[in-house]
């Protein structure tokens, strides 16, 4: 799900907090708080585990690149046994059997290789940091997804409650219309219209039930628990929202987010790794100077009577060989592999720099939009407050007329419905305003607390 979609779902779902949460009556259902849902997701979600595995592989690569700076050391033992007719010193051929043993150790170290190994270590450090940041980014995105899904459940539960209430109102109106029809005060057209309203309300209840089931399934999948798990959610306390809203400047929020937002830090780490990748590739263009050394000995035995076979210990001492070498490899032409490697690394660097700039541009757009939405929410909250006050006064007037018989039940029900809707709109605007301030806190790296 895209970031903007997550945010729109989340602040829309916060309207659910304006109503009380009615739990299921089944005692076997587990109640999951929003904190538990986040913890379960971060613990069980396979995306987090995959990111952690990648992080571990990057750490192994870093340790291996550091170890490559040390000299190599290898030991070898070779044995040969031969038999058959062989020409001896006298010129004659006879059946002989020979045994040969060679043992030795060798070592080698690169004195200079264009700083490729040093740059490889630096690049692996950058890749490890990028891996850690990627894990943090995935956790950050999952947390926002969990909050969105969790609040969507609360919203759908209250939406279902409202749909059932509307169904009850529609049934009551239909009953009144039928009674008035029997009394001769209404027509069949009026009753048919009421029946249509009942059918529409029943469809709304069905849609609300389906939406609630899907939202429960979505959260269960995020937490990586069996889809058939039956559980309950708990709404956060409204008091935890606080009463004071901060005034934000879009540019200040953007500059602060550039320093800590995981998406930005990840793209920056990838760019740094790509820069070092170019230096690693350039190392293949330089000559390579290597130092090597060896130490070995051998043992030989033959059944040829003309050959004097010394003892095993004596031969090992007498046949000792030592060597030291200095090798210089100068790349002249190797199918343009080194130059092609530099070009590939340079292109990759340009790509990662472009990705980093795109990430910054997208963050800039989202933050400026979030700040604009916050200001719009402030205006909407003020407008809904005025509308609620007007509907409240209108209901009071209808109520007085209804009590003295000057208004019918339909007018009374309509006025009450309008007042209730205006009140819900006001509460939705309030929580919408509070949430949009929390969205900005999210981009500032602050914990979203309800």
């Amino acid at each position: 799900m895209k970031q903007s979609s997550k945010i729109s779902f989340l602040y829309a779902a916060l309207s659910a907090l304006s109503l009380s949460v009615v739990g299921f009556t089944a005692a076997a259902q587990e109640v999951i708080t929003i904190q538990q849902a986040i913890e379960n997701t971060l613990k069980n979600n396979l995306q987090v585990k995959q990111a952690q595995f990648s992080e571990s592989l990057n750490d192994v690569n870093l340790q291996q690149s550091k170890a490559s700076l040390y000299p190599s050391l290898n030991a070898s033992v070779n044995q040969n046994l031969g038999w058959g007719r062989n020409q001896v010193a006298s010129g004659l051929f006879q059946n002989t059997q020979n045994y040969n043993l060679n043992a030795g150790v060798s070592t080698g170290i690169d004195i200079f290789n264009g700083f490729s190994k040093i740059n490889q270590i630096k690049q692996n450090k950058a890749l490890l940091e990028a891996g850690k940041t990627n894990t943090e980014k995935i956790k950050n995105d999952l947390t926002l997804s969990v909050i969105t899904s969790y609040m969507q459940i609360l919203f759908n539960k209250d939406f279902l409650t409202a749909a059932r209430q509307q169904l009850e109102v529609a049934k009551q109106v239909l009953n009144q219309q039928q009674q008035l029809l029997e009394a001769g005060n209404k027509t069949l057209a009026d009753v048919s219209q009421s029946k249509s309203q009942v059918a529409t309300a029943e469809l709304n209840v069905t849609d609300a039930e389906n939406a609630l089931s899907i939202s429960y399934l979505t959260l269960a999948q995020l937490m990586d628990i069996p889809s058939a798990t039956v559980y309950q959610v708990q709404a956060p306390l409204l008091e935890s929202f606080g009463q004071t809203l901060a005034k934000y400047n879009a540019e200040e929020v953007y500059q602060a987010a550039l320093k800590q937002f995981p998406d930005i830090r990840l793209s920056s780490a990838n760019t740094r790794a790509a820069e070092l990748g170019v230096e690693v590739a350039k190392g293949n263009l330089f000559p390579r100077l290597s130092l090597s050394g060896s130490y070995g000995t051998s043992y030989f035995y033959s059944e040829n009577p003309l050959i004097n076979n010394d003892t095993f210990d004596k031969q090992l001492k007498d046949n000792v060989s030592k060597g030291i070498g200095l090798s210089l490899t100068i790349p002249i032409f190797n199918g343009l592999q080194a130059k092609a490697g530099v070009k590939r690394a340079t292109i990759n660097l340009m790509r990662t720099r472009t990705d980093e700039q795109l990430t910054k541009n997208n963050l800039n757009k989202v933050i400026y939009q979030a700040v604009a939405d916050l200001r719009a929410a402030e205006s909407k909250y003020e407008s809904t407050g005025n509308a609620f006050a007007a509907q409240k006064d209108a209901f009071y007037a209808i109520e007085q007329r209804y009590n003295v018989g000057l208004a019918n039940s339909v007018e009374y029900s309509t006025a009450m419905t309008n007042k209730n809707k205006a009140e819900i709109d006001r509460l939705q605007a309030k929580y919408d305003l509070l949430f949009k301030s929390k969205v900005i806190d999210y981009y500032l790296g602050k914990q979203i607390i309800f």
Side-chain angles (χ1 to χ4, degrees), residues 170 174 178 189-202:
L174 175 61
Q178 289 176 335
D190 296 324
V191 175
S192 298
Q193 179 65 26
S194 297
K195 288 181 178 180
S196 174
Q197 292 175 349
V198 171
T200 301
E202 289 176 341

Side-chain angles (χ1 to χ4, degrees), residues 19 154-164 204 207-209 211:
L19 303 174
L154 296 176
F155 176 80
N156 288 336
K157 289 181 68 174
D158 289 330
F159 180 75
L160 176 59
T161 300
R164 287 172 175 170
N204 291 337
D207 291 340
E209 290 174 343

Side-chain angles (χ1 to χ4, degrees), residues 3 133 158 167 205 295 342:
Q3 193 83 353
T133 306
D158 289 330
L167 177 59
V205 170
Y295 179 93
V342 174

Side-chain angles (χ1 to χ4, degrees), residues 75-299:
S76 63
V77 177
N78 299 314
Q79 299 182 77
N80 296 292
L81 179 64
W83 59 89
R85 294 178 62 81
N86 294 284
Q87 188 176 20
V88 297
S90 61
L92 300 177
F93 286 87
Q94 66 181 42
N95 290 324
T96 61
Q97 182 172 323
N98 303 319
Y99 174 76
N100 186 44
L101 171 67
N102 294 286
V105 293
S106 61
T107 184
I109 185 173
D110 288 332
I111 299 176
F112 179 78
N113 63 346
F115 303 106
S116 290
K117 291 185 177 180
I118 298 295
N119 289 323
Q120 186 66 64
I121 293 175
K122 294 180 180 179
Q123 184 186 36
N124 287 341
K125 285 182 179 180
L127 291 173
L128 177 58
E129 182 62 27
K132 293 179 179 179
T133 306
N134 183 58
T135 302
E136 182 181 347
K137 176 185 180 301
I138 291 176
K139 289 182 178 180
N140 200 46
D141 292 344
L142 284 173
T143 297
L144 186 59
S145 297
V146 169
I147 296 173
T148 302
S149 299
Y150 194 96
M151 294 302 172
Q152 190 66 42
I153 292 176
L154 296 176
F155 176 80
N156 288 336
K157 289 181 68 174
D158 289 330
F159 180 75
L160 176 59
T161 300
R164 287 172 175 170
Q165 291 174 349
Q166 290 298 321
L167 177 59
E168 290 300 319
V169 172
K171 288 181 178 179
Q172 291 175 4
V173 172
L174 175 61
N175 184 52
Q176 292 174 352
Q177 297 289 0
Q178 289 176 335
Q179 292 178 358
L180 292 173
L181 175 65
E182 295 173 357
N185 295 328
K186 292 291 180 180
T187 64
L188 286 175
D190 296 324
V191 175
S192 298
Q193 179 65 26
S194 297
K195 288 181 178 180
S196 174
Q197 292 175 349
V198 171
T200 301
E202 289 176 341
L203 177 61
N204 291 337
V205 170
T206 300
D207 291 340
E209 290 174 343
N210 293 335
L212 180 59
S213 299
I214 292 174
S215 59
Y216 269 114
L217 178 61
T218 300
L219 182 58
Q221 291 174 342
L222 276 173
M223 293 188 293
D224 232 337
I225 62 177
S227 299
T229 302
V230 179
Y231 61 94
Q232 173 74 305
V233 297
Q234 177 179 317
L237 296 176
L238 298 182
E239 292 78 5
S240 64
F241 280 91
Q243 299 297 328
T244 304
L245 293 176
K247 298 298 182 181
Y248 294 102
N249 177 276
E251 186 61 29
E252 292 177 356
V253 174
Y254 173 65
Q255 293 300 327
L258 286 177
K259 300 176 182 178
Q260 59 77 37
F261 198 60
D263 297 59
I264 300 298
R265 291 194 287 113
L266 176 60
S267 60
S268 177
N270 287 333
T271 299
R272 176 57 180 162
E275 290 173 347
L276 291 169
V278 174
E279 299 302 320
V280 172
K282 287 181 177 179
N284 294 324
L285 300 175
F286 290 89
R288 178 178 180 180
L289 182 63
S290 302
L291 177 66
S292 62
S294 63
Y295 179 93
T297 187
S298 63
Y299 169 78

Side-chain angles (χ1 to χ4, degrees), residues 327-340:
S327 173
L328 178 64
T329 302
I330 302 174
I332 298 176
F333 181 79
N334 55 4
L336 301 179
Q337 292 183 8
K339 290 186 177 180

